[in-house]
Amino acid sequence: NMMASDGHCKTFDAGADGYVRGEGCGVVVLKRLADAERDGDQIWAVLSGSATNQDGRTNGLTAPNSHAQQAVIRAALASAHLSPSDIDYIEAHGTGTQLGDPIEIGALRAVLAGTPRPQPIRVGSVKTNFGHLEAAAGIAGLLKTILSVRHQIIPPHLNLRHTNPHLTF
């Protein structure tokens, strides 16, 4: 029961019933900003910070650890010298599972909620467009975000008909 029965990833939807496998890869060229500017490179994005961690103890593969997710979000904000009020878009992992999506949104809320902001934070997941690219899932989300900023448009979040009642955005 881990795979979506109809082959469609329904991240954040009440009908989410599992993830969809996809295949893909992605490449980014990383260079210090000063070096890229000096060399006249076309700069598509500046990564201000990053963070990684391990999910810790969970109840299984589809049950992420909210505390570990909160910790990595806080670490990423600190690494980038950003506060929660600086965030206006989140590219979520968003696998499309009834249990994992609410845990992820809950972790985001725990870190980002309660901060005054001019507009709500937008949340998306590239997995609704072409599935979970396994080892390339992170780079797919990064590339989607870079292209969204560059073109000033967020691609449609597909297959969302009725919000999962266990989510509180």
Side-chain angles (χ1 to χ4, degrees):
N1 292 331
M2 289 178 53
M3 305 295 284
S5 61
D6 61 0
H8 292 95
C9 182
K10 297 173 283 294
T11 303
F12 310 138
D13 190 79
D17 61 348
Y19 80 105
V20 175
R21 295 195 69 199
E23 296 290 337
C25 65
V27 176
V28 294
V29 176
L30 300 177
K31 196 174 198 179
R32 287 187 297 238
L33 180 59
D35 294 344
E37 290 172 335
R38 179 198 67 219
D39 297 342
D41 295 336
Q42 186 177 50
I43 299 168
W44 285 50
V46 175
L47 302 180
S48 301
S50 66
T52 61
N53 74 349
Q54 199 274 342
D55 205 32
R57 292 187 184 268
T58 68
N59 289 329
L61 184 61
T62 62
N65 181 319
S66 179
H67 298 293
Q69 289 188 351
Q70 291 172 46
V72 78
I73 295 164
R74 287 187 179 100
L77 288 169
S79 173
H81 306 289
L82 296 172
S83 70
S85 63
D86 295 318
I87 306 303
D88 57 12
Y89 178 75
I90 298 285
E91 177 61 24
H93 187 59
T95 56
T97 62
Q98 283 288 318
L99 182 59
D101 289 354
I103 291 172
E104 182 176 10
I105 293 299
L108 288 166
R109 285 194 75 224
V111 175
L112 302 174
T115 304
R117 58 184 72 252
Q119 62 186 19
I121 297 174
R122 288 171 172 78
V123 181
S125 174
V126 73
K127 289 173 186 65
T128 68
N129 300 95
F130 44 77
H132 191 314
L133 300 187
E134 307 295 335
I139 197 72
L142 176 63
L143 290 170
K144 174 192 169 188
T145 304
I146 289 169
L147 290 168
S148 295
V149 170
R150 183 172 179 83
H151 297 291
Q152 296 294 295
I153 188 165
I154 300 169
H157 183 92
L158 305 179
N159 309 316
L160 181 60
R161 308 285 184 259
H162 304 285
T163 304
N164 181 332
H166 302 292
L167 295 177
T168 306
F169 281 99

